[in-house]
Amino acid sequence: MSAQRKDDHVRLAIEQQHTRTAANQFDEVSFVHHALAGIDRPQVSLATSFAGISWPVPLYINAMTGGSANTGAINRDLAIAARETGVPIASGSVNAYFKDASCADTFQVLRRENPDGFVMANVNATASTDNARRAVDLLGANALQIHLNTAQETAMPEGDRSFSAWVGQIAEICAAVDVPVIVKEVGNGLSRETLVTLETLGVRVADLSGRGGTDFARIENGRRELADYAFLHGWGQSTAACLLDAQGAGLPVLASGGVRDPLDVARALALGARGVGVSGGFLRTLLDGGVSALVAQISTWLDQLAALQTMLGARTPQDLTRCDLLIQGSLRSFCADRGIQTRQLAQRSSSIDALREMTGSTR
C-alpha cells in the first residue's frame, strides 16, 4: 500500500505540473531597477551560509519521493543531477523505510550516487527519536528535515488525525540527533507564530514551503473515492507571503513552493531566504527529458541567477536583501492585514552609503 501511494503521489504531482496556471504571488514582488547598480560577473558568488551550514549555491532539490522501485529510480536520477550541478538535495519521507526496511535502497541511492554532496533526510513529526537517527544514518545525512503536513493528513484517506504531540516530538528529535534540524511544510506555508515556536524547540532552520507549488491536499483528495475534500485545495499562505511574514523572526529560513524560474529564486533570496528549493518543476523536467535535461536546467538556472545578481549589484545571494522591492496586489493586502511594513522594502538602497557599498564605489 505504501509503495502504491508513493507512485500515486508522483503521478498526481506531475498531473498538477502539467495543468498548473502560471501566476502566483511571486508575480507581485518586483525589483526596482537601478540602471547603474550593476557589477562585474567575476565579483559574484553564489555561496550561501546559515545556521552553521555552508552551500556552494543557494538552490536545492527539495524533498520528493522514495519507497518504491519507480521512486527509487527517480531518486537515483535526482542524485545524479545534484552531483553534477553541486546543489544540495533532500529525500522524500523515509517513513516507508520504517515500515518496510526492504525499500532502504530507494533512499540510499541518494547518497550512493552523490557521495560528497549535501544530503537531507526527511521524517514526519511523529517519528520517534530512534527513527530520526535511523533516517540520518540511512543516508549519511548532513541535516534532517521534519515535515509538517496537517492539511495533507486531513485530506489523506488513511492520514493522521492527532497533531497535538508534534511540538513535543520535534523538540525531542532536535535534542536527539547530531545534525541540524530543518522543519518544513509541504506546501501550505509557515506563519511567523510557527517560526517563533520552532526556534524555542531547538530547530535550526525553517523551510517555509508555501502555497504555489505541489498541492498535497489536492493530491490526497484525488485518492479519495468521493474526492470530497476539494475545499482544502489551495490551503495556506504563499511562499512570498511567508517570506514577508518571517521578516525579523530570527530563525534562518529557506523558501520553496511555486518557484518557477531564476527570477523567483532571486525574489525569494531578496525577501530573506538563505536558499531556495524546487521539487515539482524539477521532477517534471526529469520525467519529460531525463537526467541530462535536469542537469541542463539546474545549470542554466544557476548561471542566470548569477547574471541577475550581476545586474542588481549583489555580490552574494544575501546581498539581494539590500535590493529595493515593490510589493503589490493581494500580497500587499496580506502585509497590511498582518502588520507588515512594505514601504521600507522599496527604499533599502536609498542611502548613499548603501549604494556605494553595493557598487563598490569609494567616491
Side-chain angles (χ1 to χ4, degrees):
M1 180 64 179
S2 181
Q4 182 60 53
R5 184 164 67 88
K6 296 296 184 181
D7 289 342
D8 286 345
H9 283 177
V10 170
R11 174 178 56 81
L12 292 167
I14 288 299
E15 286 181 7
Q16 285 189 30
Q17 284 294 316
H18 284 123
T19 59
R20 183 171 307 285
T21 57
N24 70 33
Q25 281 192 317
F26 275 123
D27 294 321
E28 298 177 344
V29 180
S30 58
F31 288 93
V32 176
H33 176 58
H34 297 300
L36 293 177
I39 57 176
D40 298 334
R41 184 65 170 266
Q43 296 176 282
V44 170
S45 168
L46 292 179
T48 186
S49 61
F50 52 94
I53 296 170
S54 295
W55 288 350
V57 294
L59 183 68
Y60 59 101
I61 300 173
N62 213 350
M64 290 194 219
T65 195
S68 70
N70 178 52
T71 59
I74 291 172
N75 274 344
R76 178 199 62 218
D77 291 347
L78 291 172
I80 292 170
R83 182 190 70 212
E84 293 303 307
T85 59
V87 299
I89 186 170
S91 77
S93 173
V94 301
N95 191 54
Y97 162 70
F98 301 148
K99 296 177 179 178
D100 180 7
S102 69
C103 71
D105 192 65
T106 68
F107 298 100
Q108 288 175 315
V109 68
L110 288 168
R111 175 56 78 192
R112 186 169 64 251
E113 294 291 347
N114 187 22
D116 301 317
F118 192 101
V119 175
M120 295 168 272
N122 182 299
V123 300
N124 61 31
T126 64
S128 67
T129 54
D130 284 344
N131 278 345
R133 285 189 288 257
R134 287 175 65 197
V136 173
D137 291 343
L138 179 71
L139 298 178
N142 305 96
L144 176 68
Q145 289 184 337
I146 302 175
H147 68 263
L148 308 182
N149 62 336
T150 53
Q152 180 188 8
E153 294 288 350
T154 298
M156 189 188 304
E158 66 275 50
D160 291 338
R161 299 294 184 269
S162 299
F163 307 125
S164 61
W166 285 15
V167 169
Q169 195 58 29
I170 290 169
E172 290 188 16
I173 293 173
C174 289
V177 300
D178 296 327
V179 296
V181 171
I182 302 169
V183 167
K184 72 179 296 292
E185 241 288 348
V186 301
N188 305 115
L190 297 175
S191 66
R192 180 184 181 87
E193 291 83 352
T194 303
L195 296 179
V196 171
T197 299
L198 291 175
E199 188 171 23
T200 69
L201 302 179
V203 173
R204 298 275 293 278
V205 185
D207 184 339
L208 301 174
S209 193
R211 187 188 72 241
T214 303
D215 187 335
F216 275 96
R218 180 179 167 189
I219 283 176
E220 298 299 351
N221 192 44
R223 297 179 57 244
R224 299 181 71 90
E225 184 176 349
L226 299 178
D228 51 349
Y229 272 73
F231 54 82
L232 282 181
H233 296 184
W235 184 267
Q237 294 84 251
S238 73
T239 304
C242 291
L243 283 163
L244 285 158
D245 209 27
Q247 300 284 318
L251 196 65
V253 296
L254 305 173
S256 60
V259 176
R260 302 158 297 179
D261 53 42
L263 179 56
D264 283 349
V265 175
R267 287 164 164 156
L269 294 169
L271 286 170
R274 306 307 292 267
V276 180
V278 180
S279 295
F282 286 169
L283 178 61
R284 176 180 177 176
T285 296
L286 176 65
L287 296 184
D288 286 351
V291 178
S292 60
L294 181 55
V295 169
Q297 180 183 21
I298 294 173
S299 299
T300 297
W301 278 33
L302 293 174
D303 182 67
Q304 291 174 336
L305 176 60
L308 284 169
Q309 286 183 217
T310 303
M311 182 178 69
L312 290 164
R315 289 177 171 79
T316 68
Q318 191 171 8
D319 283 347
L320 288 167
T321 61
R322 303 178 185 179
C323 294
D324 297 328
L325 295 176
L326 299 175
I327 309 300
Q328 300 166 322
S330 62
L331 192 56
R332 190 177 183 89
S333 297
F334 168 86
C335 290
D337 288 344
R338 290 288 285 171
I340 301 165
Q341 299 296 317
T342 58
R343 188 170 184 176
Q344 63 190 23
L345 295 174
Q347 301 175 0
R348 294 191 293 192
S349 70
S350 60
S351 75
I352 296 298
D353 288 342
L355 286 169
R356 285 176 175 171
E357 185 172 353
M358 289 182 68
T359 61
S361 173
T362 59
R363 295 179 59 184

